[in-house]
Amino acid sequence: MTLAIIGGTGLENLAGSLEHREQKTVTTPFGDAWLTKGELDGSPLIFLARHGLTHATAPHNINYRANMRALKDEGVTNIMAAAAVGSVKNEIKPGDFVVIDQFIDFTKNRAATYSTDGEPLYHTDMTEPYDGGLRRLLMTAADAKGVSLRRGGTYVCTEGPRFETAAEIRMFQTLGGDVVGMTGVPEVVLAAELQMPYAALCIVTNYAAGLAGHGLTYEECADEMERRQATLMDVFMSAAKAGKLL
Ligand code: HPA
């Protein structure tokens, strides 16, 4: 298999630790994507920086179609992604890790499919959007490293880049949401359309609006991400090494 790891903020060092690495711009019919190709313990690994080369692309402007198509064109067979999230529930705390197993889509304005009016037309099954084998890989890696994590959770994806209102978060609670983020959809959907099994490990960077007891700032999220960065990278490296046995 050829594994890709998709990271937002906090996983840049992973790309830097690949052997024989090469930074590459991949041009697709949907636009360009930037990735690092290399090897980990002799197996191919591709790191894709979701927010682009300079981390400047906002969640609602990310070119998800170019990113996923570039991975497919580079021969990727499996994807593990990291995502920063806010917690919608008191018992899920900043600093926690969650291997999500469902999503609810509240995005509004994104190119969310490769379907066209002719071919291809995808009505993709999303009953279980996250791959069971890859989820187990992430959970086993965390267990082996002594990192506790939640085994399952529903990810609510918002359009961003603004944070939510307190009322929106109360609504997400009643809908069964566990965590809220801005980048998980349509990434997982597009991966499915291109038949690349996908799993995501979320890092809780903050309590969501109304639970925090104060207004939210991006800095608060970035600080928590920084605190968990080394552990996050450890879990991904360990899962990737185990994954080559798949
Ligand atoms: N809301 C949406 N996205 C996020 C949050 C949040 O509270 N924290 C990190 N990403």
Side-chain angles (χ1 to χ4, degrees), residues 84-87 158 162-164 169 180-182 205-209 216 221:
V85 293
S87 166
T158 62
R162 67 168 177 84
F163 287 115
E164 299 71 35
I169 295 301
V180 58
M182 303 175 190
T205 56
N206 58 288
Y207 279 117
L216 302 184
C221 301

Side-chain angles (χ1 to χ4, degrees), residues 30-232:
F30 307 97
D32 289 348
W34 295 271
L35 44 84
T36 307
K37 282 185 89 162
E39 286 180 9
L40 183 68
D41 277 4
S43 291
L45 185 70
I46 291 180
F47 178 78
L48 178 99
R50 183 185 284 125
H51 296 271
L53 214 47
T54 57
H55 283 268
T57 316
H60 62 299
N61 284 331
I62 291 171
N63 192 338
Y64 295 97
R65 289 197 300 181
N67 283 350
M68 294 301 107
R69 176 65 184 266
L71 294 184
K72 187 71 181 180
D73 288 352
E74 291 297 315
V76 166
T77 55
N78 297 80
I79 300 173
M80 295 195 300
V85 293
S87 166
V88 172
K89 287 184 167 164
N90 281 319
E91 63 266 31
I92 305 178
K93 299 183 175 53
D96 285 358
F97 290 103
V98 186
V99 177
I100 48 177
D101 59 359
Q102 286 291 323
F103 72 76
I104 300 175
D105 182 10
F106 275 96
T107 63
K108 296 175 182 162
N109 241 328
R110 302 181 177 189
T113 179
Y114 292 106
S115 280
T116 62
D117 287 342
E119 293 287 320
L121 177 59
Y122 298 104
H123 291 298
T124 310
D125 177 44
M126 281 283 120
T127 311
E128 298 291 342
Y130 302 97
D131 182 73
L134 293 173
R135 293 183 61 246
R136 268 193 300 281
L137 212 55
L138 286 165
M139 294 189 279
T140 308
D143 289 348
K145 296 272 170 193
V147 177
S148 74
L149 92 186
R150 297 181 74 91
R151 296 163 185 269
T154 296
Y155 175 103
V156 181
C157 196
T158 62
E159 181 68 13
R162 67 168 177 84
F163 287 115
E164 299 71 35
T165 65
E168 285 170 332
I169 295 301
R170 285 195 298 273
M171 173 178 74
F172 296 160
Q173 286 167 349
T174 63
L175 292 179
D178 294 301
V179 294
V180 58
M182 303 175 190
T183 56
V185 184
E187 195 169 85
V188 59
V189 178
L190 296 167
E193 285 188 356
L194 298 182
Q195 297 180 327
M196 294 182 287
Y198 178 108
L201 174 59
C202 295
I203 311 92
V204 180
T205 56
N206 58 288
Y207 279 117
L211 269 73
H214 55 78
L216 302 184
T217 63
Y218 173 74
E219 286 68 34
E220 175 190 351
C221 301
D223 287 351
E224 186 61 45
M225 191 57 148
E226 177 136 5
R227 276 192 284 277
R228 298 301 273 159
Q229 181 169 338
T231 310
L232 180 68

